[in-house]
Amino acid sequence: MEPYATADQVWQGAMIFARIGAVLLMLPGVGESYVPPRIRLSLALVVSLALWPVVSASLPALPVTLGGMAGWIIREVLVGLAIGALLRMFLTALATAGEVVALQTTLAFAQTANPTQASPGSTLSAFLMILGTTLIFATNTHHLFIAGLVGSYELIAPVRPLVTGDFTAMAVRTVADAFTLGVQLAAPVLVFAIIFNVASGLVGRVMPAFQVYFAAAPLSIILGLSVFTLSIGVLGTVFIDRYRAMAGVFAGGAGG
């Protein structure tokens, strides 16, 4: 190997590949189960080679023991998985919004396979998750992922101690923000459902003999989906803006 790459260069490439490969394993779109493993590994290798001249200066020297090498590799894999998990956690805002809309439109019983999650969910939730993944690539938000990979070597430098408390706090905050955003995205349908249910209750009290359920159920579905359709443009815009802001946290390290 010496005529082609020194031992230090091979070690640096392995370190970069460990973090990049772990991040791509969790990224939305790229890290889905329907993407062949060969494609993900090839992409991780290409990105690692592209980033090697940029981040090689921040990598530690080649350890003298096998245990030291394994420790560094495991550390980089854990860092990559943590970064990728944070980016995927925020995507659950769309799943939350879809479940809320499905509950309010009485469509929660319609379960379907969700290609972006391990378990099946409501049809609206699966639709919004696919919509979010499409928006990430349609708006070139995935370019921020590449910048974030470079910035992660400044925010979480390999030579610095790994602070797990910061990851835990950020993960909890990300989950809380994703749930809050999911409820906010479903707010138009929530407001409609409250007004519609109150009106249905008043009709039932005024006309006890009237079959409110049989008349209200189809109206709830039709009107609820109509409100959801009218608000889907704003829903996608708000989500992608918030998602780009979160991805920019890591990308900001590259610019700084």
Side-chain angles (χ1 to χ4, degrees), residues 15 18 21 30 47 53 58 87 100 102 117 126 137 163 167 179 188 200 213 215 218 221 233 239 254:
M15 285 278 291
V30 179
V47 175
S58 62
L87 294 173
V100 172
Q117 290 183 331
F137 289 93
V163 183
F167 277 118
F179 180 80
S200 301
Y213 176 78
I221 297 175
F239 167 76

Side-chain angles (χ1 to χ4, degrees), residues 116-129:
T116 60
Q117 290 183 331
S119 59
S122 65
T123 304
L124 292 177
S125 177
F127 166 73
L128 287 181
M129 292 288 286

Side-chain angles (χ1 to χ4, degrees), residues 35-109:
V35 179
R38 290 184 179 179
I39 300 298
R40 283 182 281 180
L41 289 176
S42 300
L43 180 60
L45 180 60
V46 171
V47 175
S48 299
L49 292 176
L51 297 185
W52 175 73
V54 181
V55 302
S56 59
S58 62
L59 299 177
L62 176 65
V64 295
T65 62
L66 181 61
M69 296 174 60
W72 280 112
I73 294 296
I74 293 174
R75 181 188 188 277
E76 288 300 290
V77 170
L78 292 177
V79 171
L81 291 176
I83 296 173
L86 289 175
L87 294 173
R88 178 169 287 273
M89 283 178 188
F90 202 77
L91 201 63
T92 58
L94 294 176
T96 302
E99 294 293 340
V100 172
V101 173
L103 285 172
Q104 299 304 320
T105 56
T106 68
L107 294 177
F109 62 87

Side-chain angles (χ1 to χ4, degrees), residues 5 10 20 26 29 35 43 46 70-71 112 115 118 123 127 141 171 181-182 210 216 223 232 242-243 247:
V10 174
I20 301 303
M26 301 292 293
V35 179
L43 180 60
V46 171
T112 186
T123 304
F127 166 73
T141 303
L181 179 61
F210 182 70
L223 296 179
I232 196 169
R242 293 285 298 274
Y243 195 85

Side-chain angles (χ1 to χ4, degrees), residues 179-204:
F179 180 80
T180 303
L181 179 61
V183 176
Q184 291 173 348
L185 295 177
V189 180
L190 277 175
V191 173
F192 157 77
I194 294 173
I195 297 174
F196 184 83
N197 290 330
V198 170
S200 301
L202 291 175
V203 172

Side-chain angles (χ1 to χ4, degrees), residues 11 25-26 32-33 54 57 63 69 73 89 102 108 116 146 155 160 170 178 239 248:
W11 165 248
L25 186 66
M26 301 292 293
E32 310 299 344
S33 58
V54 181
M69 296 174 60
I73 294 296
M89 283 178 188
T116 60
I146 305 300
L155 295 175
R160 298 178 185 174
M170 191 171 183
F239 167 76

